[in-house]
Amino acid sequence: MLIRLTASDDIAAAIDSALIDEPLELELASGVYRLDRPLVIPASRRGLTVRGAADGSTVLDGGCRLTGWVRDRINGRAAWRAAVPEQAVSNGTVDQFFADGIRQKRSRWPENGDLTPAETFPASEGRLFVPTRSFRVKAGDFDPAWSEPAGIETVLFTKWVESRLPVESFDARKNVLAFSRYSRFPADPEYARFHFENVKEALRRPGEYWFDRTARQLWWIPPEGVEPDSADTVVPAVGALLALDGGGEACEPGLLSGVRLENLTFRYGGAGFSRSGSCYDLGDGRLADWSNTFHRADQSPFDGLDAANAGQAAVQFPAVLMARGVRNAELSGCVVEHCGWYGLNIGPGSSDIAVRRCRFSDLGGGGIVISGAPSADTVRRRTGRVTVADCEIAHAGRLQHSAAGILIGHAFGNLIEHNHIHHLYYTGISCGWSWGYAEQAARENRIGFNHIHDLGQQLLCDMGGVYLLGIQPGTRVYNNLIHDVSCRFYGGWALYTDEGSAHMVLERNVCFNCTRDGYHQHYGRENIVRYNIFAFNANSALAITSGNDRRERYELPGTNYRNNLNLLGNVFLQAPGHPFFRAAAPLAVDPEQFSSDCNFFHGGSRRKFAQVGEAFLTCSEWRARGFDRHSKFLDPGFVSPEKRDFHLKPDSALRREFFPDPAETIDQAGIRSGKTV
């Protein structure tokens, strides 16, 4: 059955009225289709195709328009104000506001840079996860005369996460701020930084706004040339815009299958702050039982607390497009933009799904989440065989900075190829969700030919262009072009095998311009790193933290492994004077568990060839340990390494050494055929 709709028609009504026992094809004409609640596709609606105009002008919109702008003054400056409808106010605030499709900034103090806490409560005492609801600020950092302190939000950056903490009170005598939510990390002055948002007195610059929660009015200084009365001024008012609900949490037979979404633009969703819990908060009672597969019941001491953030990757946030119990489905030519959450979440019981030629941009969260049930759960809730290809994920993490571009949690057999991921504040592609050597569902994932760059942007720590976690037999990371990963304090890496990473191959990647190391292994076992190029990374080319003394969550008898890392045939190009290797502890590069040979070195330092603990080893001392005895120092013969052109010259020494031509990676990484939609 074919049904053609215009923007004045009700999409949900058209789906409900169609016969169930035959495929349904909806053609949506150009226009803006306004949504005031999620569009839910039930398991009974198999064989559904929803197709928009080929030029992407079919828009499903969850925004609330602001009208009735009044000219006024604030802080001695000309401004405009408008009432915000109740449905557009979430948790007593407005954290997103758009004008003509451009995200406006909340008023911020200080205008640039961040502040340092003076003291955290309770004291961290070296612990990593400490429920924190207050900290002391330095004199003058918080002004008790500021208007509406309960409407001010403290954005706290601690290692690899951020916490958005609404101010509850301020003790001016002790300079102590208290908050209505908890941070999972202490506000340790050594690494924590913060600033304030939604400060009335800081509203001074064009493109900024302040929300008056008492009067429920939004004050705005428009950018030059923008007239409020004629601009499209929008506050997102809907959380999830679309839910493909194939049978609920049971994921019994009768799954939603054969769904095709083509040429649709989803805009102004992801409204409100989503709290951590066993189920996502999707803002709709019909979807109240949608489980968050990242949630762990053993999160003590955080159980029962209103936590402002997840432990990693902003996984408490759902997506504006949600799917569970979905099979044999495809999204092609779709756009998700100007939203506050992740773009797409492929959840429990889903498989054989393709996401092609889609764009995810200007998002409060990250791009795509793929995660089903953990390995201990029922098989029918497993998720896998998802292809994400030729997609762009850009300018994400605008609200939840720790969100990842693509996050593979409990999922297997996925193919992530030829995507362009850039301008995030955290990891580009994250794969795996089990710390240490415990069994996990993630395995046989393929991550290749992606162009990943401009991550971190010196805001967070402990991230990678590609981040891997836990035992993943068959997982392969290949031919990715990764560069410009910059951290605040530590952990700006191109390739990162974190706790318990095992049985993976990382090969033919080109990695450069990272603020720490090109590759870092925290601890892991039996990983192969070969034929990669690591160039001009600030600390060293390669770093490894621990050896086989780290055995977390290993439960079988006997030694858990002997060999932790194998390096073969890589090119290490360092600036003069920089070491090629770093090891936090001597055991990490013990000859019985670490191997490195047949590599190629250029630049760097032969006198400080490797740093092991606090000591430096010369190249001769490194080789005396049995490492790199057949490796060579040579000019690799790149076309223009100073311009970061790593193509090989015709007479390149690497050609004579039969090194795989990096042109395959450099020329083919990223989106094929030029562009997405």
Side-chain angles (χ1 to χ4, degrees):
M1 176 185 292
L2 173 63
I3 299 177
R4 293 185 171 91
L5 302 178
T6 66
S8 61
D9 295 318
D10 187 327
I11 301 174
I15 294 174
D16 292 343
S17 64
L19 297 175
I20 293 297
D21 58 355
E22 63 177 282
L24 173 62
E25 184 175 348
L26 296 182
E27 282 193 359
L28 307 186
S30 298
V32 178
Y33 296 73
R34 300 287 171 81
L35 301 177
D36 59 7
R37 62 186 307 188
L39 179 62
V40 180
I41 310 300
S44 59
R45 184 47 72 190
R46 300 183 188 87
L48 172 67
T49 297
V50 183
R51 181 181 299 112
D55 62 358
S57 59
T58 301
V59 179
L60 280 69
D61 186 311
C64 176
R65 268 62 190 175
L66 301 190
T67 59
W69 288 98
V70 176
R71 191 189 300 270
D72 209 328
R73 295 187 68 80
I74 190 169
N75 300 327
R77 288 164 170 77
W80 295 76
R81 57 181 171 83
V84 180
E86 184 176 356
Q87 69 268 25
V89 178
S90 300
N91 305 296
T93 192
V94 172
D95 58 9
Q96 298 184 89
F97 170 54
F98 299 86
D100 293 332
I102 298 175
R103 186 183 294 269
Q104 305 296 286
K105 298 179 180 179
R106 295 170 95 188
S107 56
R108 182 192 197 276
W109 176 264
E111 178 181 349
N112 297 301
D114 291 302
L115 305 169
T116 302
E119 184 181 5
T120 185
F121 305 111
S124 63
E125 298 177 344
R127 293 171 294 168
L128 187 59
F129 294 104
V130 179
T132 301
R133 259 189 79 186
S134 63
F135 61 82
R136 190 189 314 279
V137 301
K138 297 177 182 178
D141 282 353
F142 186 90
D143 189 343
W146 279 342
S147 304
E148 283 206 333
I152 296 174
E153 195 167 67
T154 306
V155 184
L156 176 68
F157 301 103
T158 49
K159 296 200 172 181
W160 58 86
V161 300
E162 83 297 317
S163 303
R164 292 188 168 270
L165 303 168
V167 172
E168 185 173 73
S169 64
F170 177 64
D171 186 330
R173 186 174 59 87
K174 297 180 179 179
N175 280 334
V176 173
L177 274 171
F179 311 104
S180 58
R181 297 187 192 124
Y182 286 83
S183 167
R184 291 177 183 267
F185 287 77
D188 192 318
E190 180 181 354
Y191 57 78
R193 299 293 182 267
F194 70 97
H195 64 258
F196 300 107
E197 290 186 0
N198 203 49
V199 179
K200 177 183 178 181
E201 287 74 12
L203 181 59
R204 299 179 179 277
R205 292 162 293 278
E208 292 185 344
Y209 74 95
W210 168 68
F211 178 64
D212 181 346
R213 57 187 282 150
T214 300
R216 213 173 66 205
Q217 288 188 328
L218 188 142
W219 291 73
W220 177 41
I221 302 178
E224 185 176 352
V226 176
E227 294 295 330
D229 288 335
S230 58
D232 185 29
T233 51
V234 186
V235 173
V238 179
L241 298 179
L242 175 70
L244 303 177
D245 193 5
E249 286 304 303
C251 296
E252 297 288 355
L255 297 164
L256 179 58
S257 63
V259 173
R260 301 289 182 269
L261 303 177
E262 303 174 11
N263 304 331
L264 301 172
T265 295
F266 298 88
R267 189 177 292 165
Y268 303 133
F273 178 87
S274 187
R275 289 171 167 79
S276 296
S278 59
C279 291
Y280 288 119
D281 178 8
L282 297 175
D284 190 293
R286 298 171 297 171
L287 307 171
D289 67 340
W290 204 295
S291 68
N292 181 347
T293 62
F294 295 98
H295 181 77
R296 287 165 47 190
D298 60 347
Q299 289 292 297
S300 178
F302 298 96
D303 288 344
L305 301 182
D306 187 1
N309 59 306
Q312 188 166 313
V315 295
Q316 79 272 25
F317 275 81
V320 294
L321 307 183
M322 299 291 293
R324 64 179 175 184
V326 177
R327 296 183 180 176
N328 300 310
E330 182 172 353
L331 280 76
S332 64
C334 292
V335 174
V336 182
E337 62 183 6
H338 314 323
C339 294
W341 298 348
Y342 271 89
L344 169 65
N345 183 303
I346 299 173
S350 300
S351 64
D352 301 291
I353 296 173
V355 183
R356 304 183 187 277
R357 296 186 306 103
C358 294
R359 176 165 55 85
F360 302 83
S361 66
D362 187 22
L363 300 178
I368 300 172
V369 174
I370 305 167
S371 186
S375 58
D377 206 328
T378 177
V379 172
R380 65 172 177 267
R381 284 169 43 83
R382 299 280 177 88
T383 291
R385 297 192 299 273
V386 175
T387 296
V388 179
D390 298 294
C391 293
E392 182 179 18
I393 299 171
H395 303 286
R398 302 298 96 172
L399 295 177
Q400 304 304 316
H401 306 302
S402 57
I406 297 175
L407 173 58
I408 301 171
H410 307 292
F412 66 92
N414 302 291
L415 177 65
I416 313 297
E417 276 195 340
H418 289 286
N419 301 289
H420 187 194
I421 302 172
H422 60 100
H423 289 93
L424 280 71
Y425 297 109
Y426 190 55
T427 288
I429 299 173
S430 179
C431 185
W433 203 257
S434 181
W435 281 255
Y437 297 114
E439 181 183 357
Q440 71 164 335
R443 67 183 190 279
E444 296 284 351
N445 292 298
R446 309 291 200 271
I447 301 169
F449 289 102
N450 301 287
H451 186 191
I452 305 169
H453 63 94
D454 288 282
L455 305 180
Q457 302 180 67
Q458 298 183 341
L459 194 67
L460 292 173
C461 303
D462 209 293
M463 73 199 72
V466 176
Y467 170 93
L468 302 159
L469 180 68
I471 296 177
Q472 295 191 50
T475 288
R476 179 173 174 243
V477 179
Y478 54 95
N479 296 99
N480 296 285
L481 180 62
I482 306 172
H483 58 93
D484 295 282
V485 182
S486 57
C487 61
R488 184 189 289 269
F489 296 122
Y490 81 96
W493 301 302
L495 301 172
Y496 180 11
T497 44
D498 200 3
E499 300 189 28
S501 293
H503 313 309
M504 305 181 208
V505 176
L506 298 86
E507 59 186 347
R508 304 192 182 195
N509 302 284
V510 177
C511 307
F512 59 93
N513 284 12
C514 295
T515 55
R516 289 302 180 264
D517 312 278
Y519 170 78
H520 173 235
Q521 177 161 300
H522 185 175
Y523 67 89
R525 75 189 205 213
E526 294 142 359
N527 293 313
I528 298 172
V529 179
R530 63 190 181 193
Y531 310 130
N532 302 282
I533 295 173
F534 299 107
F536 302 115
N537 299 297
N539 274 6
S540 69
L542 182 144
I544 181 170
T545 297
S546 301
N548 64 7
D549 55 323
R550 295 294 299 272
R551 302 180 181 183
E552 280 82 351
R553 303 185 73 185
Y554 186 82
E555 299 174 352
L556 301 177
T559 303
N560 58 341
Y561 65 90
R562 186 180 184 91
N563 184 277
N564 59 18
L565 187 61
N566 304 275
L567 309 178
L568 176 69
N570 300 282
V571 176
F572 299 123
L573 175 58
Q574 283 293 90
H578 285 243
F580 290 100
F581 297 101
R582 287 193 311 128
L587 186 60
V589 287
D590 185 283
E592 291 193 357
Q593 58 178 292
F594 174 84
S595 67
S596 180
D597 208 351
C598 298
N599 298 299
F600 306 98
F601 299 95
H602 186 61
S605 171
R606 297 198 190 196
R607 187 171 62 87
K608 294 184 176 181
F609 188 82
Q611 181 179 2
V612 180
E614 298 297 321
F616 284 95
L617 302 181
T618 65
C619 180
S620 297
E621 290 170 332
W622 180 257
R623 284 179 162 169
R625 295 188 174 201
F627 306 136
D628 288 297
R629 289 181 173 175
H630 303 93
S631 298
K632 298 181 179 181
F633 276 87
L634 52 75
D635 184 337
F638 294 130
V639 168
S640 183
E642 66 279 0
K643 295 182 179 179
R644 305 312 189 246
D645 184 348
F646 300 105
H647 288 91
L648 300 183
K649 296 177 181 178
D651 61 346
S652 165
L654 292 181
R655 294 187 188 275
R656 297 192 299 271
E657 299 290 342
F658 304 103
F659 185 83
D661 193 340
E664 181 183 26
T665 298
I666 299 167
D667 297 341
Q668 297 183 36
I671 297 167
R672 293 167 288 194
S673 302
K675 61 179 69 175
T676 57
V677 294

